[in-house]
Amino acid sequence: MGPEGMAEFARALPKVELHAHLNGCVRGATLEELAREAGGAPAAAEVRAALAGPRDLRACFALFPLVHRFATTRAALARLVRESLADLAADGVVYAELRTTPKDRPEEGLSRRSYLEAVLRAMEEHNRSGRIGGAAGGRVHCEGRLIVSVDRRESADHALATVRLAVELAAETPLVVGVDLSGDPAVGEWSTWEPALLLAHAKGLPVTLHFAELPGRASEGRSMLAFAPERLGHAVRVDPALESELLATRIPVEVCLTSNLKTQSVATLGEHVCARLLRAGHPVALCTDDSGVFDTTLSAEFLMAAEAFGLSRRALFEFSLGSLEHAFLPEGLKESLRGHFLVAAARLGVATPGGDA
Ligand code: 5GP
């Protein structure tokens, strides 16, 4: 099949997004509009210049504060959730776990709790517009869930407060499904956040950790593996010894190809850890990371993977279906989504494992 046929297939494929930072999903045009509303033409020009600039890891971590400056209001957060889930649905994503770091913004009347409540309210409204595993009027419905992020800049107490907030909200709504550790990988020490992440586990919340984003951090990586998170993000700078240890754990890895290329974490996809994980049969979920910041979509990630790793349509389908197994969802809801995949397999003309589509 030619590249166009494969691109079309990747778009039509039902997909599951497990690693997407809410503020990183912001559309460029939305960010510029929010900046113009807040600070007029100079603020809009500042955003345009930043969006036109480089995207290495340093530059990304300089861009996020700009997004936060203009997007941390109740109305903007609701808009980010609505637009992210609409963009994902338009790309054929049927289920998405968005993650975000709760932020205090007293001048906007936002506490960390009300920040998350604003996100959850918008997500709940969006979810009401469709049905998990279903389609509304021929449109794909993307069902949203929330992972609460602990930022590596947080102190031990702050991280504990973040996890307690996640636990409280998870008791109030099934939309909160887990806890993440993210933020600038050059900052902080694992021992600072470990007690908070242990609390998440003790309270039954699954945890995903940004892992091995920088070289020379094998000891932190080892501590993270020993913690036994439910998933890991990136794993892009594992040294050979850490890679063997990772393979032995079978912990699913959220792989973000465009993000890793643009941040120059890896020079080519041929040397990307994903190639070796797939060869070893290690569980992998393809993800976008920051679709707005890196100007990507999940179908673009699947197309890249197909081309770089020589995957057939059937292999892509199984790859996508496999991601669903790693979602932080109860079995009943996974089963509804599996049903959706099986119907799609027949439509897409791919044979399913054990099926004859
Ligand atoms: P937010 O949590 O504000 O909704 O999303 C943006 C935040 O996600 C950033 O400030 C950063 O903490 C985190 N983030 C986004 N992309 C990456 C990434 O590639 N690596 C790490 N470690 N953190 C990221």
Side-chain angles (χ1 to χ4, degrees):
M1 147 169 319
E4 275 169 29
M6 203 53 151
E8 192 44 50
F9 179 81
R11 255 193 308 277
L13 184 66
K15 292 174 289 295
V16 164
E17 170 63 85
L18 300 183
H19 186 135
H21 298 270
L22 178 63
N23 280 276
C25 291
V26 66
R27 296 175 186 165
T30 297
L31 185 58
E32 195 179 323
E33 204 180 303
L34 292 171
R36 190 180 302 281
E37 282 167 15
E46 189 186 353
V47 162
R48 264 199 313 281
L51 289 175
R55 284 291 180 283
D56 59 43
L57 206 54
R58 288 287 100 224
C60 278
F61 279 93
L63 185 59
F64 289 125
L66 192 64
V67 182
H68 295 151
R69 199 160 103 214
F70 300 119
T72 313
T73 68
R74 269 193 183 75
L77 285 167
R79 180 171 176 183
L80 255 56
V81 172
R82 276 196 308 274
E83 290 184 353
S84 304
L85 291 170
D87 290 348
L88 287 158
D91 190 43
V93 177
V94 294
Y95 171 73
E97 290 173 5
L98 299 180
R99 57 184 77 188
T100 195
T101 323
K103 298 165 189 73
D104 264 321
R105 188 131 186 224
E107 66 277 24
E108 292 293 336
L110 278 179
S111 64
R112 282 149 38 83
R113 175 180 257 275
S114 59
Y115 173 102
L116 291 177
E117 285 169 345
V119 169
L120 286 164
R121 204 166 306 121
M123 189 173 271
E124 201 174 350
E125 265 170 37
H126 167 89
N127 287 348
R128 269 204 302 271
S129 70
R131 184 174 53 77
I132 193 160
R139 259 182 330 113
V140 167
H141 168 66
C142 179
E143 179 79 8
R145 290 292 183 273
L146 182 69
I147 294 177
V148 176
S149 297
V150 171
D151 189 294
R152 293 179 63 114
R153 281 175 307 186
E154 293 177 20
S155 66
D157 284 349
H158 196 110
L160 270 170
T162 304
V163 171
R164 282 199 195 103
L165 189 51
V167 170
E168 280 167 28
L169 290 170
E172 293 170 19
T173 166
L175 296 190
V176 175
V177 293
V179 168
D180 157 59
L181 175 69
S182 54
D184 190 338
V187 169
E189 299 283 333
W190 166 252
S191 57
T192 308
W193 324 290
E194 189 179 22
L197 298 166
L198 284 168
L199 175 68
H201 267 176
K203 298 291 183 182
L205 277 180
V207 173
T208 173
L209 302 175
H210 279 62
F211 169 80
E213 289 180 273
L214 292 176
R217 303 291 177 102
S219 131
E220 176 180 272
R222 234 156 248 131
S223 304
M224 287 182 165
L225 293 183
F227 170 80
E230 280 64 24
R231 298 198 310 247
L232 292 164
H234 295 293
V236 73
R237 303 303 295 264
V238 275
D239 65 27
L242 189 60
E243 188 171 321
S244 312
E245 290 165 45
L246 165 64
L247 290 175
T249 65
R250 308 282 303 156
I251 297 172
V253 178
E254 304 151 356
V255 164
C256 310
L257 299 174
T258 297
S259 162
N260 297 156
L261 284 174
K262 289 200 175 170
T263 57
Q264 297 168 11
S265 299
V266 68
T268 65
L269 291 185
E271 61 201 83
H272 196 284
V273 67
C274 185
R276 304 191 295 280
L277 294 174
L278 290 177
R279 267 199 305 276
H282 192 90
V284 171
L286 279 185
C287 305
T288 53
D289 202 10
D290 299 288
S291 56
V293 169
F294 297 123
D295 191 21
T296 189
T297 59
L298 195 52
S299 58
E301 301 300 308
F302 271 85
L303 182 61
M304 281 170 85
E307 288 169 354
F309 311 129
L311 303 178
S312 66
R313 285 166 30 127
R314 159 128 190 215
L316 274 200
F317 183 89
E318 284 176 12
F319 200 170
S320 190
L321 182 57
S323 294
L324 174 59
E325 299 311 314
H326 316 314
F328 293 161
L329 266 184
E331 181 50 35
L333 293 181
K334 281 190 189 171
E335 190 55 27
S336 306
L337 285 166
R338 278 188 210 106
H340 181 92
F341 270 81
L342 289 184
V343 171
R347 180 171 38 85
L348 293 168
V350 284
T352 53
D356 55 4

